[in-house]
Amino acid sequence: MTIEMDKYRDATVMRLSGEIDMYSSPGLRKELLSLVAERVSPLIVDFRGVSYIDSSGIATFVEGLKGMRSFGGRLKFVAVPEGIMEIFTFSKLDRVFEIYGSADEALSG
Amino acid sequence: MMETAIEIRDLVTHYGDREILRDVSFSIPRGRTTVILGGSGCGKSTLLKHLIGLLRPTKGAILINGMDITVMKEEELNGVRKRMGVLFQGAALLNSMTLADNVALPIREHTRLEESTIQIMVRMKLDLVGLSGFEDFYPSQLSGGMKKRAGIARAMALDPEFLFLDEPSAGLDPVTAAGLDELILKLRNVFKMTIVAVTHELSSLYTIADHVVMLDRGQVIFKGSLEGLRASDDPRIRGFLNRRPEAESYSPEDYFRFIAGD
């Protein structure tokens, strides 16, 4: 998995690609929690290049969202591939995570 | 054409001098549920133990994603086992640990994830099997069906590619067994896992099977779809599906000779 940080309008964007699994999740967690500690908001996570996410990846985002909510920050997901969306829907997390089609939608939502 | 995940070629196995499996060959399709069916003592649990690398066969090959596990060294086999989740008969939970710790055990053992991440994963796994809120319970405080569910949660701990279930609904009442079958269906649909379930329960077979392999006295007597199984006119299959007892295998005179020790 690779993480690229970017800026789009007033938001910070985290672009992910590859597999988010039990080997790569600790690195993602470190990055995510350091953004939470800096109170970066809104944070847009772009899933376009993500081919797979396992339960450790989902747990990492649950931890990230919990941290964001602790200071009123917003975590927004964009371009979530269908297979990953199915897993979010199954676990009902599609109604907890804010999910948008694009960064523009995320910023107006 | 379905992609093959596991291929079993000419498997022969013995317990001592006794031949348990004889020239067993079949394929397990990826992302589907294969039910290994057969009466007690037909060799199906022995076959499952070979598929997860617990037993080595006398001869034959078991190819998982194209790699023969029967010739692998223990270290290499452990790598393959990390991709397998197994629900053993009786669930095999550790009684001295809470459910949360039972589920967390393989994650703590095989990953470097932080404890806070592991705790969230454990709650996700327990919720998946309908055991939210039971984190601090011990196995002895659970019903048979709940133990099986907890066993599945532990089998799912490392997000396995393959899930092996040994008699998942045996010993459960019909309603609890049906609930477990629904859970197995759900796991296949959502996680696209390759599931292999050994069972002699017809209700489970009809609910969960995409593909069936039937064993009789250590030999494969059927492999194919559920529809194919139902349409079979093999008397052994008809007898099993119609729950007819097997014909007596030897005459009263043979029986006499056997018990008299002649």
Side-chain angles (χ1 to χ4, degrees), chain B:
Chain B
M1 188 73 186
M2 278 183 288
E3 191 191 337
T4 296
I6 304 175
E7 192 180 345
I8 294 93
R9 284 188 195 154
D10 306 320
L11 202 72
V12 176
T13 187
H14 292 81
Y15 283 143
D17 291 337
R18 196 186 163 104
E19 193 179 53
I20 306 296
L21 297 172
R22 192 185 311 163
D23 296 323
V24 167
S25 296
F26 63 92
S27 299
I28 292 173
R30 191 179 304 286
R32 317 286 285 174
T33 299
T34 296
V35 167
I36 301 175
L37 187 69
S40 300
C42 71
K44 56 190 190 302
S45 287
T46 300
L47 175 58
L48 192 80
K49 287 187 181 118
H50 281 86
L51 297 183
I52 58 177
L54 284 183
L55 294 176
R56 302 260 183 183
T58 312
K59 62 176 193 168
I62 298 168
L63 282 74
I64 296 189
N65 292 340
M67 311 270 279
D68 186 359
I69 63 162
T70 66
V71 295
M72 278 183 187
K73 292 204 176 90
E74 202 55 28
E75 219 171 82
E76 209 181 341
L77 195 54
N78 280 336
V80 178
R81 284 200 191 109
K82 278 187 211 166
R83 287 183 273 143
M84 299 175 168
V86 185
L87 171 69
F88 293 99
Q89 275 187 43
L93 298 166
L94 295 171
N95 286 322
S96 59
M97 286 184 177
T98 62
L99 283 199
D101 284 337
N102 263 286
V103 177
L105 188 66
I107 312 177
R108 289 184 183 133
E109 194 90 348
H110 295 292
T111 74
R112 289 165 185 256
L113 295 168
E114 292 292 332
E115 192 53 33
S116 56
T117 312
I118 294 175
Q119 289 303 324
I120 294 171
M121 286 169 70
V122 165
R123 288 192 288 270
M124 284 165 61
K125 307 292 175 184
L126 287 174
D127 180 71
L128 180 71
V129 300
L131 287 177
S132 280
F134 288 90
E135 292 88 334
D136 297 329
F137 280 59
Y138 285 87
S140 61
Q141 297 171 298
L142 302 181
S143 68
M146 289 161 94
K147 274 185 199 165
K148 297 268 188 177
R149 286 174 179 270
I152 292 179
R154 191 185 54 188
M156 294 288 293
L158 292 171
D159 291 8
E161 186 181 342
F162 304 100
L163 183 64
F164 295 94
L165 309 164
D166 193 0
E167 301 280 8
S169 50
L172 302 179
D173 68 76
V175 175
T176 307
L180 206 68
D181 289 338
E182 288 301 322
L183 172 63
I184 295 166
L185 268 183
K186 188 169 88 172
L187 295 177
R188 184 209 60 184
N189 291 343
V190 176
F191 299 101
K192 319 280 187 271
M193 278 190 302
T194 301
I195 299 178
V196 181
V198 155
T199 189
H200 61 262
E201 306 274 344
L202 293 179
S203 53
S204 274
L205 166 77
Y206 294 137
T207 310
I208 65 173
D210 299 307
H211 186 73
V212 187
V213 175
M214 186 165 175
L215 293 181
D216 183 58
R217 291 177 196 145
Q219 283 185 298
V220 173
I221 58 167
F222 177 85
K223 45 190 170 186
S225 66
L226 201 48
E227 294 71 35
L229 183 83
R230 280 192 172 117
S232 169
D233 53 12
D234 183 320
R236 293 167 297 180
I237 296 173
R238 295 258 48 91
F240 189 86
L241 298 183
N242 297 327
R243 301 166 195 259
R244 253 186 253 122
E246 286 181 36
E248 283 180 33
S249 54
Y250 44 72
S251 68
E253 195 54 37
D254 287 341
Y255 174 66
F256 172 75
R257 274 202 292 274
F258 170 66
I259 59 169
D262 285 348

Side-chain angles (χ1 to χ4, degrees), chain A residues 74-106:
Chain A
R74 304 275 295 269
L75 177 66
K76 302 180 177 202
F77 294 170
V78 299
V80 178
E82 201 181 328
I84 294 172
M85 196 63 203
E86 256 180 64
I87 294 174
F88 286 159
T89 308
F90 169 73
S91 53
K92 301 180 195 78
L93 286 172
D94 61 323
R95 285 180 260 163
V96 178
F97 293 131
E98 293 183 55
I99 302 172
Y100 302 91
S102 66
D104 284 319
E105 274 178 44

